[in-house]
Amino acid sequence: MRIMVERRDPIHLSTKVHHPYRGRTVLEFLCERFRYLPRELWEKRIETGKIRLNGRLVGADDVVDTGDEIEYTIEIVEPAVDFTYDIIYTDDDILVVSKSGNIPVHASGKFIRHTLIAKLRDDLGRNLNLAHRLDRETSGLVVLTRNVEAARSISAAFARGAVSKTYLAIVRGCPANDTFEIDAPLGRIGKQHPIPRSIIDRKKGKPARTSVRVIERLQGGWATDVPAGESRIGALPIGLSVVEVRPHTGRTNQIRVHLEYSGHPIIGDKTYGLSATLLRRLMTDPESPELLAHLILPRHALHHAQIAFEHPRTRERLELAAPLPADIADFIESQHLRMTRPASR
């Protein structure tokens, strides 16, 4: 069952003031802590009595201290999401679910209650915490913990690379080799950029390595020749392929960036794989027919299909899997039908 909902109602939130913000005014703190909202909006909320400091109404110039609690009420329209999830594994220590391809795992920007963690806490208990993250449009396996001991154990396993993760993706073009590795360090373009994103940064980037195996080539090849060993960004791949991807490091957007760098960006990806012209179109006219035709799918075709790790209590090795969601499976099937359909006369 797919549950899509857009909601507008008052939301009561609170946040603690940490040491770096000590001595700032209430207005400065709010503007720096929550940069996705304009200064004028915070000023209006303070003026209308919607901001409290340690339980009392405040002015914009009141100064905050470490440990202070700021409470505020907002009314926000949260974008519609798909709350569908399947429980893959559960016990007293951990929970593993497979999420849809349209829900963020945690609060960010306009998403506050429309998140996987909020939904799971409402359904299954407040003691759940995320062990790792997936992008909003990435479907598949997410691990959560139910207690401090499990959280520490799983976090340490991720940190030392003891968690094996396997993704499936549909990419542009048909790789020449059945298997290949992408070893390219990743950096980050920050909030000053129109679309913050990870980038290949060989001078200051952190090491990142990804293994790719081609599962199926859905016709096609390369429209332009690219010298061996060079990035194929900017070349025009034709055809599509289904690939299995194993990240050996856990950098932000690693799979999406590395596949773009290899010249085989994921279809549906609105950040990686778009030309400068289409990126501008995305910001000004996200429903442009040209843009939607280029994307092929409404979300990026990336699915976290398998995960393996040591159980934090029993030390048993868990190997868990989530089947492809309907949107990706149906698209692949449609390509099979197109390939086998007799040519029209």
Side-chain angles (χ1 to χ4, degrees), residues 173-203:
C174 296
N177 299 316
D178 291 338
T179 62
F180 58 96
E181 284 207 352
I182 307 158
D183 193 343
L186 297 183
R188 187 79 176 161
I189 295 178
K191 294 181 178 179
Q192 74 279 5
H193 195 267
I195 300 181
R197 52 175 283 165
S198 297
I199 59 170
I200 303 299
D201 186 344
R202 296 197 176 277
K203 292 184 177 180

Side-chain angles (χ1 to χ4, degrees), residues 45-60:
R45 288 178 179 172
I46 293 172
E47 292 171 359
T48 55
K50 293 182 178 179
I51 308 294
R52 291 179 176 271
L53 175 63
N54 299 326
R56 62 178 179 81
L57 293 176
V58 294

Side-chain angles (χ1 to χ4, degrees), residues 108-128:
S108 177
K110 290 185 177 182
F111 297 95
I112 298 176
R113 291 177 179 169
H114 285 193
T115 64
L116 179 68
I117 186 63
K119 175 63 173 172
L120 293 176
R121 284 172 175 169
D122 285 345
D123 291 352
L124 303 173
R126 304 297 299 175
N127 62 329
L128 289 168

Side-chain angles (χ1 to χ4, degrees), residues 211-225:
S211 296
V212 183
R213 180 173 71 89
V214 178
I215 296 176
E216 182 177 12
R217 293 177 175 86
L218 302 174
Q219 297 186 340
W222 279 98
T224 58
D225 293 327

